[in-house]
């Protein structure tokens, strides 16, 4: 009991067009730690406040986007249980052997109705540079750049999000803190497997498998302002913000990595419990739901994805 | 799966010496909502960002302290399951019928080895004044006073905390993000049933059943400063802070209600997962663990309890 | 010596289309104190941290805008000295007798080359509700609304700003912390008579006598975020922000009162001394100078004035 | 007119017991820039947001303390004028030739009644690393350590502070935003020559010529918290804070350099004008005046000086 099964987003594998530029962006500007570059060219990164070996994996490719988003489970038994439930739901599950990523155990993968690959795994080594656990300082070395504390969640664009919601809630045991309902059905859903306000979110979109943004958690609104200072200083392409989301109440900036993948840095947001009612937004208020201060969507929100 | 069984601290029933003074303190200064005063004289309070009817209950008595601390479960079935496990552990469980508190279902109660009464329950009405769920504003009315968002956790003093830890982890499914180990054994333990850094904590103490503090969550370090401004303005007795805890990394102030019960307002703190290692503090660093900036305990920390 | 002559912006008289709506905006939302409404219909307001009787005066009229902006001098002798220097510069000076505003001494007025009326005065009563001076609390009553601490500066639009600069620096003893130079000359100038980063600013514009915004000082970036929360809550028309200015480095939001007068709330900004070099922006960087995060002007910046 | 005569604190020359330790403290921890070490062993430092060559000078000596505190004037003519007024007041003025410090013009020096040496000067080179003035970024390189923006003021301990007040106000044109009056006369005075809340302050003390603290300005309360984090991380000796002063309302931490000189980092504080009444504290409230949250002095405040 307590939190059982899936724990949290554990790995996001991103496609980037130029690895050197991408590493500079995520390490120098966002403030992630460089963990390793492996023979296949993939680069492994970790936020300073994460305990496990890596959380963001960069793969050089011709097209930007998200290869997959993986959730860490609390044991292999849980992963095996999910495999059965996923197959019972009708999805095909494939296996990724232990060691496909350094320090990482076996993973299972499958594609949900929105066209995104999701993976589950139970084992990853603790980082050699993990936060201290013996009479620790609050940080080992002073956080750098935008001071990202952890890879937090992603927002994905694709079709069939009602089925996606059904799958995540019935098979993977997520709950739904927030949703946007349009006259013709669900437009967007925010889901969590913990009591963070969101671990993953989906927006309805014709083209499958698209990434809207990958988000990183900052300490507070002051660090959001500091992140904005850094974006201008290093001429990082900014989409919108500093602002607040009505949905989740997070304080936020959207911006882009050099390959065009949208990033988010955010802080705040409420603590979600599954006995809290779902917050529901209608088509008249969706603009305020997404961008609380602007009270309307910008063009990029609905169209720019990778 | 996901979070199952117990969800969070749901009710703290405090003994206060003078009800009017206590209400003024918790409503005007701390910023809780007054929910109701019932025929038996108990007063029910709720933080503005909580969904359910009440979280803090005040009872006038000759001696200050904590009557009990109750956790909300995700269903009656879970409560029934815990009853069996608690009895199997060897504790006596008693029943509090639905309606003993307004809007609140049946509770079960028992006394742990530190001498504290703990209760579990599954049902409480949603507040008529709960946070909005239809295209909500981030708050309905501007937060007042110290802007307490929720009743968050308590720290309790009593003997036999090794047994307490065993009970909470093995029977109630808590995990232990932080502990202080002295040469003669555990001195203090911080435990959570969710991924908040702590839902309840215990410090070893000769006298059983004592309350060290009841804590309320604020938005950020700026609200901690604002709370300190309010304490001086209204001449509220302050113990220590603004400072930071090394343990949990929370930013904090300790102060007292008019009956001498210690309150805490705090912000920040990390997100705890059960696959994170426990942080362990030794006797040389416990001062920094408790008060990160002062790097030593004050006299009151070990001696002033109710 | 030390600061001699003019001290600071002291009075801004605004034209508003509907007095009741305007009072609601400036008192409830911005957080100014209502001082009085006089027989001629003018309403006098004061920020909670100002010592003197009033700083913002509202006058109902058919067209929004700024009647005049007045600077407080350190004595009548200084005002008399300025009168001579102004007349020597070639401007006509008129007199406003003591008592034309309650609690306010004689003023002199004149029109600068941009078409704006500027006034100087030496005497105003201290507010009966001024900040405490005997063992004071940091505030008497908790700041309300957006928590505006003081009326701070204005930005005005009009022609001939080179002459305006010459007049303010040579006759009124201002200095120029920042300017924007275009290939065809000065586009904008920020001037101060103290060591605030700006007490008044001008942007070149064909139409004379226009108001771009009247600005109010907030404590910090957190209060800027809080002000944005309030703007959405009360559906106040927002222009842009939260963002930062490159010029002055202030953290800022532009928004509108119900009559269409632009307001600014801002925090931060450096301390300016007259032995600091002027910061100069060119036409390639003016966007970043005005809106540091957006790095470009919005349409409203150049066109929406009252 | 506007600010004439003296502009601001320009140079503080501190005695330190071990230069290497001192440089580490002020450069790595406080975040000052290392400017130069000269043949006589003195080290010159500058805060990142200051325009002129240096502001803090360290001199190795057997005893910690302050050699002198120097104010920058707006021209040599002003310095000459002050020389006459100082001599008329009855103090002896000596000359320090240009070049005694690199990049620094002639200074005049004198000893005030509290036993402290004060200097005045008009000329110092701009720093080669000064803040940008052509379409500047808000900082050239990201602020380090505690992110000190400028050397701001000092608090000095010595006898005869009534005469000191008379001298600073009548001869050097300071005004007095705050004072503490005891039954037997002035206990402490805060004075400014600008509209910062204080440029220099004095507390009555038997021993002449003592330094209570040298203060550095930080951006806001969040940077105060960050500075506290750094103090614990690097085991810097802390006196008190984070807290707030009632006097000036600044948010503050007192701590010590390795030689025992007390430093302060602070943020906030009001804008002082000479037509604002002096805030006066009495002996019952001096504790709250100095430490607003603690509401009482600590032992060190009155006894630990260098």
């Amino acid at each position: 009991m307590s939190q059982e099964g899936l724990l949290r987003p554990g790995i996001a594998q991103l496609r980037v067009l130029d690895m050197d530029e991408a590493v500079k962006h995520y390490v120098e500007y966002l403030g992630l730690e460089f963990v390793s570059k492996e023979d296949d060219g993939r680069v492994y990164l970790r936020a300073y406040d994460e305990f496990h070996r890596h959380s963001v994996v960069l793969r050089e490719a011709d097209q930007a986007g998200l290869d997959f988003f993986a959730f860490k489970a609390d044991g292999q038994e849980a992963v095996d249980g999910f495999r059965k439930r996923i197959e019972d739901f009708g999805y095909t599950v494939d296996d990724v052997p232990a060691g496909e990523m350094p320090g990482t155990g076996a993973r299972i993968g499958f594609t949900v109705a929105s066209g995104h690959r999701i993976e589950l795994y139970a084992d990853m080594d603790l980082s050699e540079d993990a936060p201290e656990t013996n009479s620790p300082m609050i940080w080992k070395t002073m956080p750098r750049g935008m001071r990202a504390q952890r890879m937090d969640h992603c927002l994905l664009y694709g079709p069939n999000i009602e089925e996606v919601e059904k799958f995540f809630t019935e098979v993977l045991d997520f709950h739904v803190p927030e949703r946007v309902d349009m006259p013709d059905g669900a437009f967007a859903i925010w889901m969590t497997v913990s009591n963070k306000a969101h671990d993953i979110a989906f927006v309805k979109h014709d083209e499958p498998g698209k990434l809207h943004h990958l988000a990183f958690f900052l300490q507070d609104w002051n660090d959001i302002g500091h992140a904005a200072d850094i974006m201008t200083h290093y001429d990082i392409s900014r989409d919108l913000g500093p602002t607040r989301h009505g949905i989740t109440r997070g304080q936020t900036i959207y911006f882009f990595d050099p390959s065009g993948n949208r990033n988010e840095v955010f802080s705040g947001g409420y603590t979600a419990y599954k006995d809290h009612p779902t917050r529901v937004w209608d088509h008249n208020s969706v603009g305020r739901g997404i961008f609380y201060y602007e009270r309307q969507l910008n063009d990029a929100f609905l169209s720019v994805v990778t």
Side-chain angles (χ1 to χ4, degrees), chain A residues 252-267:
Chain A
T252 178
I253 312 175
Y254 284 160
F255 57 105
F256 296 100
D257 78 5
S259 306
N261 293 305
R262 189 187 280 96
N263 293 162
E264 180 185 31
V265 286
F266 81 105
S267 67

Side-chain angles (χ1 to χ4, degrees), chain A residues 96-136:
Chain A
V96 183
E100 192 270 343
M101 286 184 172
T104 310
R107 288 131 52 201
I108 63 171
F110 47 91
T111 299
V112 295
S114 56
H116 298 92
R117 179 177 173 84
I118 302 295
E119 294 189 354
L120 310 182
Y121 69 102
D123 296 312
M124 186 184 286
D125 292 349
L126 288 175
S127 169
E128 293 172 4
D129 202 33
E132 298 171 319
T133 54
N134 288 319
S135 304

Side-chain angles (χ1 to χ4, degrees), chain A residues 25-154:
Chain A
H25 174 85
Y26 287 99
V27 173
E28 277 190 42
Y29 302 158
L30 208 60
L32 302 185
E33 305 290 331
F34 183 93
V35 178
S36 71
K37 181 168 187 172
E38 300 299 323
D39 289 346
D40 64 1
R42 282 186 293 181
V43 166
Y44 294 80
L45 307 174
R46 192 188 126 265
Y48 80 91
D49 205 29
E50 295 174 327
F51 275 95
H52 292 84
R53 186 185 182 280
H54 57 259
S55 57
V56 175
V57 183
L58 304 178
R59 182 173 73 82
E60 200 169 72
D62 292 338
Q63 194 174 358
L66 182 74
D67 279 341
F68 65 85
F69 197 66
F71 292 92
K72 188 166 189 295
D74 65 350
Q76 190 55 45
E77 194 174 344
V79 174
D80 295 341
F82 283 118
R83 174 199 293 270
K84 174 149 191 352
R85 292 167 70 186
I86 296 162
E87 288 171 343
D88 288 350
F89 191 81
Y91 289 174
T92 303
V93 175
D94 64 75
D95 284 274
V96 183
E100 192 270 343
M101 286 184 172
T104 310
R107 288 131 52 201
I108 63 171
F110 47 91
T111 299
V112 295
S114 56
H116 298 92
R117 179 177 173 84
I118 302 295
E119 294 189 354
L120 310 182
Y121 69 102
D123 296 312
M124 186 184 286
D125 292 349
L126 288 175
S127 169
E128 293 172 4
D129 202 33
E132 298 171 319
T133 54
N134 288 319
S135 304
M137 293 290 176
I138 58 159
W139 29 254
K140 258 182 175 168
T141 56
M142 203 180 309
R144 286 174 302 101
M146 299 187 203
R147 308 172 189 150
Q149 298 195 341
R150 65 167 181 261
M151 190 273 286
D152 188 87
H153 68 268
C154 65

Side-chain angles (χ1 to χ4, degrees), chain A residues 129-260:
Chain A
D129 202 33
E132 298 171 319
T133 54
N134 288 319
S135 304
M137 293 290 176
I138 58 159
W139 29 254
K140 258 182 175 168
T141 56
M142 203 180 309
R144 286 174 302 101
M146 299 187 203
R147 308 172 189 150
Q149 298 195 341
R150 65 167 181 261
M151 190 273 286
D152 188 87
H153 68 268
C154 65
L155 171 57
L156 305 177
Y157 272 44
N160 307 315
I161 65 171
E162 283 92 346
E163 182 180 319
V164 170
E165 176 179 351
K166 184 178 167 67
F167 175 77
F168 270 86
T169 54
E170 295 183 6
V171 177
L172 300 185
D173 298 321
F174 282 61
H175 59 105
V176 183
E178 308 237 15
R179 63 186 308 128
V180 178
D181 281 338
M182 292 297 192
D184 62 344
F187 167 71
I189 45 174
W190 283 258
M191 298 185 294
T192 181
V193 75
S194 63
N195 48 27
K196 285 167 47 192
H198 48 352
D199 284 327
I200 194 166
F202 288 88
V203 167
K204 183 179 170 182
H205 188 69
D206 286 342
E207 204 176 358
K210 290 298 179 184
L211 171 67
H212 184 271
H213 70 259
L214 179 65
F216 298 86
F217 186 73
L218 303 190
Q219 184 180 272
D220 54 29
W221 175 239
N222 266 58
D223 275 2
I224 296 293
H226 174 69
D229 290 343
I230 285 186
M231 287 177 208
T232 295
H233 197 81
Y234 294 110
D235 205 22
I236 296 170
S237 176
R238 189 193 64 109
D239 181 5
L240 201 127
T243 186
R244 188 194 274 278
H245 296 305
I247 293 164
T248 77
R249 303 200 305 227
Q251 299 157 316
T252 178
I253 312 175
Y254 284 160
F255 57 105
F256 296 100
D257 78 5
S259 306

